[in-house]
Amino acid sequence: MERMIRRTFVLCLFAALDALLLPVGAQTNPFLTKPYLQLGDAPKPAAKESLVLLWHAADTDQAWGVEYKGEGQSKWVPANASTLRRVNVKGFEAHRVYQATLSGLKPGGAFSYRVTLAGKPVFEDKGLARKPAGVTSTFAVLGDIAQNSDGQKAVAFEISKAKPDYVFMVGDVVYGRGLVTEYYQKFFPIYNADQAARNVGGPVLRSTLTVANLGNHDSQPQVDLEKTPDGLAYFYYWSQPMNGPLTEKSGNGVPELKGSSEQVADFARTAPNFPRMGMYSFDYGDVHWTMLDSNPYVDWTDPKLREWVRNDLRAAKKMPWRFVGLHHPPFNSSKAHFNDQWMRLLSDIFEEEGVQVVFSGHVHNYQRSHPIRFKPNAEQAAKRPMIKGKIDGAFTLDKSFDGAKNTKPQGVIWLVTGAGGAGLYNPEQETDPSSWQEFTVKFVSTIHSFTHVTVNPKSVQIKQIAADGRELDKFTITQ
Ligand SMILES: [Fe+2]
């Protein structure tokens, strides 16, 4: 008997030691999606910064907790962990999206965080609070991402290596219909991978603030919840500023929801941020960002929406840099999507309010334009263009800007950075500049890539980095 007790005691001791020796996260994984950092509804920088930590877990009550501490601090600070929403849609297991706000962070300061379950740490990582104006900040931009391709994984790996301060995903985050299942199959496993490897992806989302806006694969003019009950997952999984112009639940700028009245009501309950979070603006470092939804269900001749864009940019007049993110590039040399030009109708506002760069995706390659000044044909500008409409007009191109010797652009530079993972478009055009529009200076369509930007108060350096780490383009803008 005594021998048996001794044996049991030794076995228990080994089991306890084993559990202690296992690294955090190697025990049974309690997450459906591991923690990831979001901006939350914090458009403006503050003396005490905050970020929101989200994670997904099974639809059962569990005792979650979060603790965090700034670099150099010895004491962990508790953060309240609460359920942000319960996602219960046909075709995927019901789950909860949890959130904890990490507040009181030092602007630009590094911090550590850990998630606990029943008091025991089950996940830990590090992050960086939003940087204030006046210091160097870096970010990555890419669109047209989650298709489970080798290129997507290699780009995610390169971004995790580059360690930008934050990442902006300029639409078409997941293919092909913005579904919960697609986030789970093709996005989180690659952008929130446990390891950084070229054929896997990287642990980007858990350590790097990431923001996104809507592309045509994330949101459609009509979203039929009968056919795609897990659609519009963007509104479930991102937590971003709620300061955009879409204050009504329907009307111009809002996708039409179809399905049973119960389904539509369920969606409204689960995603109270719909449609508001479809457009927003925020500041990071010396940049003011205006994030628009360029989907064809938005009529950009609408004076109310145009006014919002103008006022948003005007209010940021004192910021050194004003950048815009919108999915559909209206100045595009690819044969693919060439006629998707309706966003040209905002170029007058961008020019007048001093936007320096517009970042787009949609076309799956990389393109850089000369600085452009564009006057649309007055008749076309006055009426709503056709969905696939071309907008003609008069161009003034600043061909003297080269981003090296002459770094002061006269006009807006339009970048297409839609080579984030989906199948590339028009590779044959890369070596055929005669097929490019006159406004295009650079066109790379044979390899996946992302844009890497370094921002200072007086200069911005933009590089295009390929999935194999090569530098595809580089130019500088100064004030
Ligand atoms: Fe697209």
Side-chain angles (χ1 to χ4, degrees), residues 144 172 175 216-217 327 362:
D144 311 83
D172 285 1
Y175 284 84
N216 53 301
H217 287 278
H327 182 67
H362 194 49

PDB file of all heavy atoms in Angstrom, residues 144 172 175 216-217 327 362, ligand 1:
ATOM      1  N   ASP A 144      -5.618  42.344 -50.953  1.00  0.00           N
ATOM      2  CA  ASP A 144      -5.896  41.151 -51.757  1.00  0.00           C
ATOM      3  C   ASP A 144      -5.090  39.960 -51.243  1.00  0.00           C
ATOM      4  O   ASP A 144      -4.182  39.488 -51.922  1.00  0.00           O
ATOM      5  CB  ASP A 144      -5.614  41.458 -53.232  1.00  0.00           C
ATOM      6  CG  ASP A 144      -6.306  42.761 -53.615  1.00  0.00           C
ATOM      7  OD1 ASP A 144      -5.732  43.830 -53.354  1.00  0.00           O
ATOM      8  OD2 ASP A 144      -7.445  42.700 -54.094  1.00  0.00           O
ATOM      9  N   ASP A 172     -10.087  43.300 -49.506  1.00  0.00           N
ATOM     10  CA  ASP A 172      -9.985  41.909 -49.930  1.00  0.00           C
ATOM     11  C   ASP A 172      -9.053  41.166 -48.963  1.00  0.00           C
ATOM     12  O   ASP A 172      -8.081  40.533 -49.365  1.00  0.00           O
ATOM     13  CB  ASP A 172      -9.540  41.776 -51.389  1.00  0.00           C
ATOM     14  CG  ASP A 172     -10.675  42.130 -52.358  1.00  0.00           C
ATOM     15  OD1 ASP A 172     -11.776  42.488 -51.886  1.00  0.00           O
ATOM     16  OD2 ASP A 172     -10.466  42.051 -53.582  1.00  0.00           O
ATOM     17  N   TYR A 175     -10.579  35.783 -49.194  1.00  0.00           N
ATOM     18  CA  TYR A 175     -11.294  35.339 -50.398  1.00  0.00           C
ATOM     19  C   TYR A 175     -12.178  34.163 -50.051  1.00  0.00           C
ATOM     20  O   TYR A 175     -11.838  33.381 -49.160  1.00  0.00           O
ATOM     21  CB  TYR A 175     -10.278  34.939 -51.487  1.00  0.00           C
ATOM     22  CG  TYR A 175      -9.700  36.166 -52.102  1.00  0.00           C
ATOM     23  CD1 TYR A 175      -8.626  36.803 -51.503  1.00  0.00           C
ATOM     24  CD2 TYR A 175     -10.277  36.730 -53.234  1.00  0.00           C
ATOM     25  CE1 TYR A 175      -8.119  37.972 -52.044  1.00  0.00           C
ATOM     26  CE2 TYR A 175      -9.767  37.898 -53.788  1.00  0.00           C
ATOM     27  CZ  TYR A 175      -8.694  38.523 -53.186  1.00  0.00           C
ATOM     28  OH  TYR A 175      -8.207  39.683 -53.712  1.00  0.00           O
ATOM     29  N   ASN A 216     -14.038  44.424 -52.305  1.00  0.00           N
ATOM     30  CA  ASN A 216     -15.246  43.836 -52.887  1.00  0.00           C
ATOM     31  C   ASN A 216     -15.449  42.381 -52.478  1.00  0.00           C
ATOM     32  O   ASN A 216     -16.545  41.847 -52.614  1.00  0.00           O
ATOM     33  CB  ASN A 216     -15.216  43.954 -54.414  1.00  0.00           C
ATOM     34  CG  ASN A 216     -13.958  43.390 -55.013  1.00  0.00           C
ATOM     35  OD1 ASN A 216     -12.856  43.848 -54.685  1.00  0.00           O
ATOM     36  ND2 ASN A 216     -14.079  42.400 -55.861  1.00  0.00           N
ATOM     37  N   HIS A 217     -14.362  41.730 -51.987  1.00  0.00           N
ATOM     38  CA  HIS A 217     -14.542  40.356 -51.500  1.00  0.00           C
ATOM     39  C   HIS A 217     -14.909  40.316 -50.015  1.00  0.00           C
ATOM     40  O   HIS A 217     -15.220  39.263 -49.479  1.00  0.00           O
ATOM     41  CB  HIS A 217     -13.288  39.525 -51.767  1.00  0.00           C
ATOM     42  CG  HIS A 217     -13.127  39.183 -53.222  1.00  0.00           C
ATOM     43  ND1 HIS A 217     -13.777  38.131 -53.823  1.00  0.00           N
ATOM     44  CD2 HIS A 217     -12.431  39.808 -54.195  1.00  0.00           C
ATOM     45  CE1 HIS A 217     -13.471  38.102 -55.103  1.00  0.00           C
ATOM     46  NE2 HIS A 217     -12.648  39.104 -55.368  1.00  0.00           N
ATOM     47  N   HIS A 327      -9.970  50.634 -51.682  1.00  0.00           N
ATOM     48  CA  HIS A 327      -9.627  49.362 -52.327  1.00  0.00           C
ATOM     49  C   HIS A 327      -9.477  49.454 -53.855  1.00  0.00           C
ATOM     50  O   HIS A 327      -8.514  48.945 -54.419  1.00  0.00           O
ATOM     51  CB  HIS A 327     -10.688  48.316 -51.964  1.00  0.00           C
ATOM     52  CG  HIS A 327     -10.402  46.972 -52.547  1.00  0.00           C
ATOM     53  ND1 HIS A 327      -9.322  46.207 -52.153  1.00  0.00           N
ATOM     54  CD2 HIS A 327     -11.036  46.262 -53.526  1.00  0.00           C
ATOM     55  CE1 HIS A 327      -9.310  45.078 -52.849  1.00  0.00           C
ATOM     56  NE2 HIS A 327     -10.325  45.089 -53.688  1.00  0.00           N
ATOM     57  N   HIS A 362      -6.983  45.676 -55.012  1.00  0.00           N
ATOM     58  CA  HIS A 362      -7.951  45.249 -56.016  1.00  0.00           C
ATOM     59  C   HIS A 362      -7.296  44.676 -57.272  1.00  0.00           C
ATOM     60  O   HIS A 362      -7.669  43.613 -57.737  1.00  0.00           O
ATOM     61  CB  HIS A 362      -8.878  46.416 -56.373  1.00  0.00           C
ATOM     62  CG  HIS A 362     -10.103  46.013 -57.136  1.00  0.00           C
ATOM     63  ND1 HIS A 362     -10.909  44.977 -56.750  1.00  0.00           N
ATOM     64  CD2 HIS A 362     -10.662  46.508 -58.282  1.00  0.00           C
ATOM     65  CE1 HIS A 362     -11.927  44.861 -57.617  1.00  0.00           C
ATOM     66  NE2 HIS A 362     -11.783  45.768 -58.548  1.00  0.00           N
TER      67      HIS A 362
HETATM   68 FE    FE B   1     -10.797  43.488 -55.096  1.00  0.00          FE
END
